Amino acid sequence: MSKPLQISPETAIKLSEQLNIPLEHLMHMPKHILLQKLASLANKEAEVAPEKPE
């Protein structure tokens, strides 16, 4: 079993809410899976966000 992620409690709470994952699952999730979920979330937000004119 892997050790819990080394992130702050505030970050863990925000991530669990944004990813819709229970906090306990998030803390014991392998890093590579968490990174995949974060990348997927970032892609979804990029599609939804309107482009900013420069």
Side-chain angles (χ1 to χ4, degrees):
M1 185 174 206
S2 63
K3 65 180 182 175
L5 295 172
Q6 300 296 310
I7 56 177
S8 71
E10 294 84 11
T11 301
I13 291 169
K14 287 180 184 178
L15 285 174
S16 71
E17 290 172 355
Q18 289 181 345
L19 295 172
N20 197 24
I21 299 172
L23 189 57
E24 298 81 16
H25 293 191
L26 175 74
M27 293 305 297
H28 294 284
M29 183 179 291
K31 287 182 185 178
H32 70 279
I33 294 176
L34 177 59
L35 291 175
Q36 287 175 349
K37 290 188 179 287
L38 289 173
S40 175
L41 180 65
N43 287 338
K44 287 180 186 176
E45 288 182 358
E47 290 174 2
V48 173
E51 293 185 22
K52 296 180 182 177
E54 293 187 27

